[in-house]
Amino acid sequence: MVFKNSWIKFVLRCTTGQVVTDNRTSQVFKQAFNTYQQLVKKMEEKEKRVLKRHLTEIVRDVIPTDEFMASLVQTDIFADNMIQLIKAEKTESQMIYKLMEMLPRRGPEAFDKFVRLLDVDYSWIGNVLKRDLLQ
């Protein structure tokens, strides 16, 4: 992979241990690089189609409780600042629409993580999404 941006080259060298930095700085660079990699990789088209097909059910049934939103952060689907954007919406339905708008851009593992999260309190939706994905 060729990077023209010297900042990205520096981050790459830090994440691979080629640059000696203090441990905290190294962790920050690793997190930044992991975030960059997730942004570059996208959810599969089939997974996006499944989410789109079942958007109405998800918006109708999922309640964006504080516990649910914390789980989205805990499972690394979203970062805290993204949850704040979602929570800024006026209604619960709008919050879920915003979440579903952002979800496909959260990387190739986002769909599976989201389905596993749904399996905890919304297993019927998780089952529908998994079944539809297999068809």
Side-chain angles (χ1 to χ4, degrees):
M1 198 179 290
V2 177
F3 293 99
K4 293 180 182 178
N5 186 320
S6 61
W7 174 249
I8 294 174
K9 287 180 185 178
F10 177 72
V11 170
L12 281 171
R13 289 191 354 247
C14 288
T15 58
T16 58
Q18 295 174 4
V19 172
V20 177
T21 60
D22 62 71
N23 194 34
R24 178 69 183 133
T25 305
S26 180
Q27 284 179 322
V28 169
F29 284 126
K30 284 180 183 177
Q31 277 184 319
F33 185 67
N34 288 339
T35 301
Y36 168 77
Q37 284 182 314
Q38 285 183 348
L39 292 174
V40 172
K41 297 177 184 175
K42 296 182 180 176
M43 185 180 286
E44 291 183 27
E45 288 302 316
K46 186 172 185 178
E47 293 168 337
K48 289 180 186 179
R49 286 192 301 271
V50 168
L51 290 175
K52 191 173 184 177
R53 261 194 303 272
H54 298 285
L55 179 62
T56 305
E57 297 163 68
I58 295 168
V59 170
R60 180 190 64 219
D61 292 347
V62 175
I63 300 167
T65 62
D66 287 339
E67 182 181 335
F68 181 76
M69 300 306 258
S71 295
L72 291 167
V73 173
Q74 204 169 31
T75 55
D76 292 324
I77 298 173
F78 291 106
D80 286 324
N81 62 332
M82 296 170 171
I83 294 299
Q84 295 311 314
L85 285 173
I86 294 167
K87 285 183 172 183
E89 297 296 325
K90 293 179 182 177
T91 67
E92 289 182 348
S93 293
Q94 289 172 334
M95 288 170 68
I96 298 298
Y97 273 116
K98 184 70 167 180
L99 183 156
M100 297 305 294
E101 173 190 317
M102 296 167 69
L103 185 62
R105 296 186 301 259
R106 296 304 303 145
E109 296 176 5
F111 181 86
D112 291 332
K113 288 179 179 182
F114 185 66
V115 170
R116 279 189 300 243
L117 183 60
L118 289 175
D119 282 339
V120 175
D121 292 319
Y122 304 99
S123 59
W124 64 95
I125 298 173
N127 291 335
V128 167
L129 296 177
K130 286 184 273 192
R131 249 192 325 265
D132 195 357
L133 187 64
L134 295 174
Q135 293 178 352

